[in-house]
Amino acid sequence: MQLVVARIGRAHGIKGEVTVEVRTDEPELRLAPGAVLATEPASAGPLTIETGRVHSGRLLLRFEGVRDRNAAEALRNTLLIAEVDPEERPEDEDEYYDHQLIDLDVVTADGERVGRITEISHLPTQDLFVVERPDGSEVFVPFVEEIVAEIDLEEQRAVITPPPGLIDDLTVRNEAADGHDASPRDEA
């Protein structure tokens, strides 16, 4: 299975180094010297990492055969892709690869079916499950410990304890769209 582990940024200096936007929780494993990575677009690679270092909080990489700023700048916005065994698990037992979470059924702690995870959205502050509901609508569930109570890969489900309004607001909106009054009114 292929996973995107980084995106190449701009050239750094004149000797072929590039900045990278890391997209893996395991950069020391996936972006280590000697690693051979596929690329998107495929015509840019494969690339073999020659050296890596952190400078001012940014990871800088140099690839074999890339010796000057022009060659480095030509790689800008290229995605770096690692080949990963689909059975491989992250070192931390509470971490998951996206492909392990896609297609899990999402249920509440009391057993109500919410839907199925179709995508993981990686935002700067937190990750979100994009959950497709049975009616085809989507709901976004923050992937945080307070809401996602359990991930059970064997049962292929994610158990959530949503706060009020996270998923039940869809029921209210759907009832209102169907012509039902979702909130009681005083009648005069």
Side-chain angles (χ1 to χ4, degrees):
M1 163 162 282
Q2 295 187 324
L3 298 176
V4 174
V5 293
R7 184 183 64 82
I8 297 176
R10 54 183 153 178
H12 179 82
I14 59 171
K15 296 183 180 178
E17 284 185 310
V18 295
T19 62
V20 292
E21 173 189 315
V22 177
R23 294 189 180 176
T24 177
D25 290 337
E26 302 169 317
E28 65 285 344
L29 175 66
R30 307 282 179 222
L31 301 172
V36 179
L37 303 167
T39 60
E40 179 60 42
S43 60
L47 294 172
T48 302
I49 298 174
E50 188 173 281
T51 63
R53 67 187 178 102
V54 176
H55 175 73
S56 297
R58 296 206 114 222
L59 180 60
L60 302 178
L61 297 179
R62 181 177 308 152
F63 301 101
E64 290 180 6
V66 178
R67 295 284 172 235
D68 62 31
R69 184 175 186 86
N70 290 337
E73 193 61 39
L75 295 173
R76 191 174 193 166
N77 293 321
T78 298
L79 296 177
L80 299 175
I81 303 166
E83 189 65 40
V84 177
D85 180 350
E87 300 301 314
E88 182 180 328
R89 295 283 313 267
E91 289 180 16
D92 186 342
E93 65 182 43
D94 290 332
E95 291 182 1
Y96 303 91
Y97 293 128
D98 288 3
H99 71 272
Q100 295 173 303
L101 301 171
I102 300 293
D103 287 332
L104 291 185
D105 288 323
V106 179
V107 297
T108 61
D110 60 4
E112 177 187 347
R113 185 169 190 279
V114 176
R116 181 180 57 83
I117 299 173
T118 58
E119 182 182 338
I120 311 299
S121 181
H122 299 283
L123 302 177
T125 56
Q126 67 191 15
D127 295 336
L128 293 175
F129 290 159
V130 178
V131 178
E132 183 179 321
R133 297 185 53 98
D135 66 3
S137 64
E138 290 182 336
V139 64
F140 300 101
V141 177
F143 187 19
V144 294
E145 193 174 337
E146 295 80 15
I147 296 174
V148 180
E150 177 186 4
I151 299 291
D152 187 337
L153 295 178
E154 286 185 25
E155 295 292 322
Q156 287 290 289
R157 68 183 186 145
V159 179
I160 64 171
T161 54
L166 182 67
I167 61 172
D168 46 37
D169 68 329
L170 287 175
T171 304
V172 170
R173 274 192 270 140
N174 288 340
E175 287 175 1
D178 291 341
H180 295 94
D181 190 357
S183 60
R185 290 188 192 161
D186 293 332
E187 300 211 11

